[in-house]
Amino acid sequence: VQHYSWKAKKVNYTLEAKDRIGKFTKLRSNEFHPLKPITVTESSLIKISHRDGHASNSENKSLKSHSSSEKVDFIDPLSMMTAEDPLTKASHSNRVVAAVVNEKADAVVDNSFAELSWTNWKMDVVSKSTVDSQLAATMTSILRTTQGISVSDKMRDRLGQLDEFGEASLQEMLNLSQQEFIDRIHFLSNTLTDAWNTNQKVKSLKIAIQCAKLLGDTSVMQFYPSKFILVTDLLDTFGSLVFERIFSICNGMKANDIKPENVSESAKEICLNWILKVASIRELLPRIYVEASIIRCNEFLKKDQCKSSLIRLNSMTRGVGNPLVALYTRAYLCSVGMQHLSSCGGHFKTCFYDFLSTFKQMYTTPVQNLLAHQKLTMESYLGFYAPALTWILSCVGVQAHDATLNEVFERCNSCGNNQVLFDCCISAFSSKYIASRALVLCTAITKADDKLYPKFRVLQSLGKKLIETAPPNADKLMILNETWKMLVKIRDPGNYIACAVIWVEYAAKYFTQKETNTVLGDIIKHMSPDRVYENFYTELQSVVVRVITHMTSFKSIFAMSRFLPFFDMFQKDGQRVEVCKLVAEYFINDNNEFVTSDATTISGLMYICKTIHNSINALSNEGQVSSAAALICGVILKINFGKDFEQQLSFYVECRASFSGLDNVLATLVHSVNRLSAEVTKIVKGKHTRKTSAFVRACSAYSFITIPSLSDSTTKFGLYLESGQVALISQCVTQADAYRSGLTTILDLATTSKSDTENSFLAHVSNLLSSLLVVPDNTEQGVLFPVEELNVISESDAEIRSDIQCAIYIKVLAMLTAYSQEQYLYHVHKVDSNEDLYSNDPKFMAELSQISTTLLNEVLAYLVAGNKDQKLQSFNAFNLFQTILAHGDITESNMNRLAVAVWEIAIQHGHITPKSMLQMMTMLKNKGGHYKTLAHTLKQQIAA
């Protein structure tokens, strides 16, 4: 390898800056921009050919003569992609609900009914009415998979269907699981639709009739509410098919505006035919259900016929003997009224009053015997009534005046064993109405002597309504006191905590920490005996969430003496940690409290964070570690003592001792301390006193003591670099000497660097070298000691890729050129760099030249060595060539020859693109002088 010496170019940074500013031209507002939306003016005589949007003179004339031409705006593709969000509609899937509830929403005639959703009610019932035991249900032979019938003779087809679905074909399908029953009904629904589409409409009717008969069976009462939803969903499908069939032959009519006088005779005939078919059903229950499913078809015959038919069906329901079956039948009639009638409040109230007239029937001997046979308690039996009764009362409450609701309450209050009635009324009526009468309701609930229906359920419903709408201020405390007197009498821990979860939220939302603390203490008292809390971790966790959600501030939360002791009940592995994570997340996301300095709050948060930290062990996966670290870091960043910087540093010292096992937390602490030091320097405007000087040195010491404990080399290197820079701007020159530690970390990065992280690594190196420029030499360690430390790369036994080593040396050459200038490019306030220490001393310049020459020849030795990656060699050679142009003095013949030699190495294998070479040639020619001459020489090389 031919020996070359490095000759640095002398640069006047001030003149260069002025030259760059002079050549800089701003983009004019009327110039073309590639990301600017283009406005095209359409005209038969205009053709825009210029990219900048300027038309020729003839085109300008044409523009004036066609001033009325239409303008069309074309938006760039990136804007068009965001014009419509493809994810505007969310999908909700549930395995059971999907088989039960139709995907299309219920249609309502009156917008005032929109808030009462039959679909939502069905989904809620299905989610609660499940049973694990086998189901006994009377099914028809249509549960078998049937093939389509070939229609050759209409009469023969009709007789065949009647024979297939005759009464004699009923079979008892025993030992069906819940999911099997759901699958069978879902299959029947599809069969009904397929039969209708293949013109087997009588078959569809028979399926609807036989399925409606299933609702008369209460052999498994736990599943009856879900069975009701399944069957009525099928009946709704049948009713829709019949209505659409008749509506399809009513030309020019809207579905929501049907006028009987405009309906054709053929449509009326078909409609009457279906009504008569249904009227011929002999059994009462299927007759009511099937007729209710097609009740809207009455609109084609006579105005207000739907309403009269609904009243008639409700009267027929009085003939249903089983009170549970009768109640759900009335619930379906209310559903039909809500969907298809705009005004039927009287009908809903009649349904409810009819139920009240048979209310005592639930307590008769036959019902008691049935419950004993199915091994059910009266409490659970009354629970099966609650969904349907709540729906009926919800229909009563829509558009009802307060006088009507008061009347309903009075009727309920006059009944014995009326807790279930109170519960359903409270759940069904609006929260505003309930809140205004909450104290009266509390008194009524207290006086009620019903022991068959649990009082805690009524209190639960009342609490939920009062959380939605606040009661009068004068009644709030009295309501809480009266309610809690009833709560403390509940002996069953499950019932107690289910109700306490609601009322602790009531206390947290409407009262101060004193009342909430009292409630928490009572929960601890009830749940601690015999460690019953171990069975109710979910409910206890809900208590914590509701408290921290509604309390005004975390200061008041941790000021409660019972809050942290409440955590002692979470004894299960991981349960306490999950609750602590919830509290930490709420604190981090609390927009009302951006930072805190309250000692009590900080003490509580540190307890929370230590619990999270101590849950991490050797078996924890990476996700668990990252999640814990993120929460702790979020809490730390929200604790701020304002101008009390010493207290802030003491807090960070405590955190380092408490969370030493999490690297991300330690890195956050180093960042925070560096920011603290920089903030102090900013406040004193660089004029440190003895006290502030000692403080920033303590901050630097904190950082450089903490960083070595980290395991990730990239993080360590970045923190060393940041801490050194902060130490310099804080005028802690001695502490900034810790850059030496950053230099030694390069070795770890270089050995672990991969091709996909190489650019990131070299960016770190560039940042370090640019910082070293302003670090003054330590006179005890010699001239340019930090640069000498880079010899660790070449002298190390570690396997460092030679191309990375070469890239580092090229960057060092650029830095050494900056060292050789009479005036450095940048400075640090009140820190004397080598520019001030040496003042271009000849010995210092000679040392720079010697080091530069040594590094240059190391690079050249790599570039000409064999058995190397030719592509990497070419790229490094091209990089060196650019460095020579930017930092070398090519007016010196030796440097000129060096540039030519390096260029030849760069292009000899063809890895440098012609575009890059052309750009380089253009740049050299534009610079003129020796650069233009060099460009001519390089061009000849390319041609050769």
Side-chain angles (χ1 to χ4, degrees), residues 409-462:
F409 263 120
E410 289 300 324
R411 294 285 292 269
C412 293
N413 201 23
S414 62
C415 296
N417 298 320
N418 54 8
Q419 293 278 39
V420 65
L421 301 177
F422 282 156
D423 185 19
C424 294
C425 285
I426 293 171
S427 300
F429 295 163
S430 68
S431 58
K432 183 178 179 181
Y433 175 84
I434 298 298
S436 63
R437 291 156 180 81
L439 190 57
V440 176
L441 288 172
C442 276
T443 304
I445 296 169
T446 304
K447 293 180 179 179
D449 57 354
D450 182 9
K451 297 181 180 179
L452 299 178
Y453 190 80
K455 188 170 290 188
F456 83 92
R457 295 189 185 277
V458 188
L459 296 178
Q460 267 186 304
S461 301
L462 179 61

Side-chain angles (χ1 to χ4, degrees), residues 1 54 81 86 136 173 210 212 356 492 525 618 627 635-636 708 824 891:
V1 180
H54 295 295
M81 291 174 64
M173 307 297 293
Q210 298 301 333
L356 285 185
D492 183 82
K525 179 181 177 181
S627 174
V635 172
I636 290 173
Y824 288 178
T891 60

Side-chain angles (χ1 to χ4, degrees), residues 487-506:
L487 275 179
V488 295
K489 296 178 182 179
I490 299 176
R491 299 304 176 190
D492 183 82
N495 296 342
Y496 170 82
I497 192 62
C499 195
V501 166
I502 305 298
W503 285 95
V504 75
E505 183 177 3
Y506 175 86

Side-chain angles (χ1 to χ4, degrees), residues 49 93 103 113 115 128 143 194 244 275 277 284 304 316 327 378 382 392 460 473 631 634 662 683 691 768 836 872:
S49 58
S93 61
E103 293 180 358
F113 292 167
E115 61 184 18
K128 294 178 180 178
L143 296 175
D194 293 341
E244 291 170 4
I275 292 176
K277 279 190 176 77
L284 178 63
D304 295 331
M316 293 170 61
L327 179 64
M378 179 57 71
L382 292 176
I392 294 173
Q460 267 186 304
N473 291 331
L631 290 173
L662 296 174
I683 290 175
K691 184 177 181 180
L768 171 66
D836 303 302
L872 292 176

Side-chain angles (χ1 to χ4, degrees), residues 559-576:
M560 294 187 295
S561 60
R562 298 295 184 179
F563 185 72
L564 290 181
F566 193 88
F567 284 70
D568 293 336
M569 290 192 292
F570 295 97
Q571 299 291 330
K572 187 177 179 180
D573 293 342
Q575 194 68 37
R576 181 182 299 186

